[in-house]
Amino acid sequence: MPTNRLGRARFRAWLPALAGLAAVSGASVPAAAEPPERVVSMNVCTDQLAILVAGEGQLHSVSYLASDPNTSVLADRAKGLAVNHGLAEEVFLMQPDLVLAGTYTTRTTVALLRRLGIRVEEFAPDSSIADIRTNILRMGEVLERRERAAELVAELDRGVAELGEGGASHKTVATYYANSYTSGAGTLVDEIVKLSGLVNVADKLGLSGTARLPLEMLVLSKPDLVTGGSEDYGAPALAQENFVHPAYRAVAEQGRAVAVPSRYTICGAPFTLEAARLLRDAAGQATGGAR
């Protein structure tokens, strides 16, 4: 699909002009051994990894989502950086020597930037702690900041070890989001639940990936804790009707609702472990005292 602001025909007509600009500016793929000096990130997860890993002045621009505190843990640190909306023309005119994107980032933009000779590195979403380690180390490679990446991996591993010392509470938790979705096996959220020492209700029900969890099944599973209903769209939304249903309110009452901001689980980094800590502490309080 073309960008939102350009129709398909108009987009194709604009392509030769950009190619001409690339020829005039001498845009080319930089040598892999040269540390990039002007990096543009178009994905909120690469935004945050780059903020954590990049050297002083190395990161030039991040996506508009990087400054949204509901989406980005590092929203405050994104201030002062140029903002982009993933449009090929705006990214090209920033004259980056490296562009960071997610594997689901606008495909037209990624393809066009590569045609224009700009180096684009894509990062897959995290579905496990192992994926987080891999992406941190890879970010260190592409930014030529390997030592910094190793420090972040060490921080992540220390956090995982600390969570492991708490043992398992064997309490159950249901993750429950807008439109009655939950996170089952094979997701980062499921691994976070396991790190917290809790049992994921979705696992007990045999659900994998991001799947629908009907309200009736949620009620019948009788979870000790439920999390995910704290999202606020700022206006009434059909997607959130499940959170105002009396049956959901009955499940979430009596201190069983746990607020785990979604920004901790959208992207993978050492800060992701904060979600596991919040769940662990809630389980501890439910038994008469946090561990």
Side-chain angles (χ1 to χ4, degrees):
M1 292 288 291
T3 61
N4 293 334
R5 298 182 185 178
L6 298 171
R8 188 179 299 275
R10 186 179 171 194
F11 188 75
R12 289 173 177 168
W14 169 71
L15 178 56
L18 262 187
L21 282 173
V24 171
S25 64
S28 61
V29 179
E34 292 291 329
E37 297 179 352
R38 192 173 178 84
V39 179
V40 172
S41 171
M42 302 191 302
N43 173 276
V44 69
C45 293
T46 56
D47 292 340
Q48 294 183 87
L49 274 189
I51 288 173
L52 289 171
V53 176
E56 185 70 27
Q58 193 177 26
L59 182 60
H60 173 70
S61 174
V62 291
S63 77
Y64 69 98
L65 291 173
S67 59
D68 180 356
N70 293 316
T71 304
S72 172
V73 176
L74 305 178
D76 288 343
R77 293 178 62 176
K79 294 176 181 177
L81 295 170
V83 174
N84 72 77
H85 300 78
L87 302 174
E89 65 270 37
E90 67 175 343
V91 173
F92 176 82
L93 292 174
M94 289 177 178
Q95 298 184 307
D97 53 10
L98 172 63
V99 172
L100 304 172
T103 51
Y104 296 104
T105 300
T106 308
R107 308 318 301 156
T108 300
T109 299
V110 170
L112 179 53
L113 290 173
R114 283 177 170 155
R115 288 180 62 185
L116 293 171
I118 296 175
R119 178 186 174 196
V120 180
E121 294 286 348
E122 297 179 82
F123 287 73
D126 301 300
S127 59
S128 66
I129 297 299
D131 287 346
I132 296 176
R133 290 192 189 96
T134 297
N135 279 337
I136 291 174
L137 292 173
R138 181 158 175 255
M139 186 64 74
E141 290 286 335
V142 300
L143 296 183
E144 297 289 332
R145 294 272 296 169
R146 296 174 184 83
E147 289 186 8
R148 174 56 180 156
E151 291 172 358
L152 290 169
V153 168
E155 178 184 344
L156 177 71
D157 288 342
R158 286 194 298 271
V160 170
E162 181 268 331
L163 284 164
E165 293 172 357
S169 71
H170 301 297
K171 289 187 174 294
T172 59
V173 60
T175 61
Y176 199 59
Y177 310 116
N179 288 314
S180 301
Y181 278 98
T182 190
S183 295
T187 65
L188 180 59
V189 170
D190 183 58
E191 186 144 342
I192 289 169
V193 169
K194 289 180 171 64
L195 283 174
S196 73
L198 277 71
V199 176
N200 191 349
V201 163
D203 283 349
K204 294 185 67 176
L205 296 174
L207 300 176
S208 61
T210 301
R212 293 293 295 273
L213 175 60
L215 183 56
E216 296 87 348
M217 291 179 67
L218 174 68
V219 173
L220 290 173
S221 66
K222 299 180 180 179
D224 296 306
L225 300 169
V226 62
T227 183
S230 59
E231 299 165 337
D232 184 6
Y233 288 9
L238 290 175
Q240 292 190 307
E241 282 194 334
N242 51 323
F243 298 137
V244 299
H245 193 285
Y248 173 79
R249 290 181 174 178
V251 171
E253 69 181 5
Q254 299 177 349
R256 288 192 286 172
V258 185
V260 179
S262 59
R263 63 179 177 269
Y264 291 123
T265 58
I266 292 173
C267 302
F271 57 66
T272 301
L273 300 182
E274 183 60 24
R277 296 183 185 105
L278 290 170
L279 289 173
R280 176 199 60 187
D281 293 346
Q285 292 169 4
T287 58
R291 282 175 289 186

